[in-house]
Amino acid sequence: MYARRKHAYFAMMGICIALFVLAWGVVRIWSMPVAVGMCVVAMVIPPLAAMVANRRGPEDRWWDDPSGDPKSDEWWDELDGKKRRPQDRP
């Protein structure tokens, strides 16, 4: 999953750079408002790319990791509806 997010991040950042280069290298010759609009779109892409790259997927099981506090872990397991076996308890 990490590789897919990394590829999406680099694709989005590549589109961002391409929009800036095309806007000021090519499009500004024909239409300045369109070039500015392209730059505004390119300005929005980096924060979105960061969100995509740092998003946790359903296969990232970070919420299942025990905290180390047995009482807290037992409380969270009870809230999640999990039944812990006696040998799983620390």
Side-chain angles (χ1 to χ4, degrees), residues 21-83:
V21 169
L22 286 173
W24 296 115
V26 178
V27 176
R28 72 172 171 86
I29 296 169
W30 290 284
S31 174
M32 187 63 77
V34 172
V36 171
M38 287 172 69
C39 284
V40 168
V41 170
M43 179 181 68
V44 173
I45 293 175
L48 295 176
M51 285 185 248
V52 166
N54 292 316
R55 181 180 72 80
R56 292 184 190 227
E59 34 306 309
D60 297 337
R61 303 297 289 181
W62 58 273
W63 58 85
D64 285 346
D65 292 340
S67 67
D69 178 19
K71 192 164 189 102
S72 175
D73 291 339
E74 188 175 323
W75 183 76
W76 280 108
D77 288 342
E78 181 183 335
L79 283 178
D80 290 339
K82 293 182 185 174
K83 301 279 188 208

Side-chain angles (χ1 to χ4, degrees), residues 9-11 13 15 19-20 26-27 33 35 37 40 47 69 74 82 88:
Y9 173 80
F10 283 116
M13 292 307 289
I15 291 170
L19 281 172
F20 272 121
V26 178
V27 176
V40 168
D69 178 19
E74 188 175 323
K82 293 182 185 174
D88 290 343

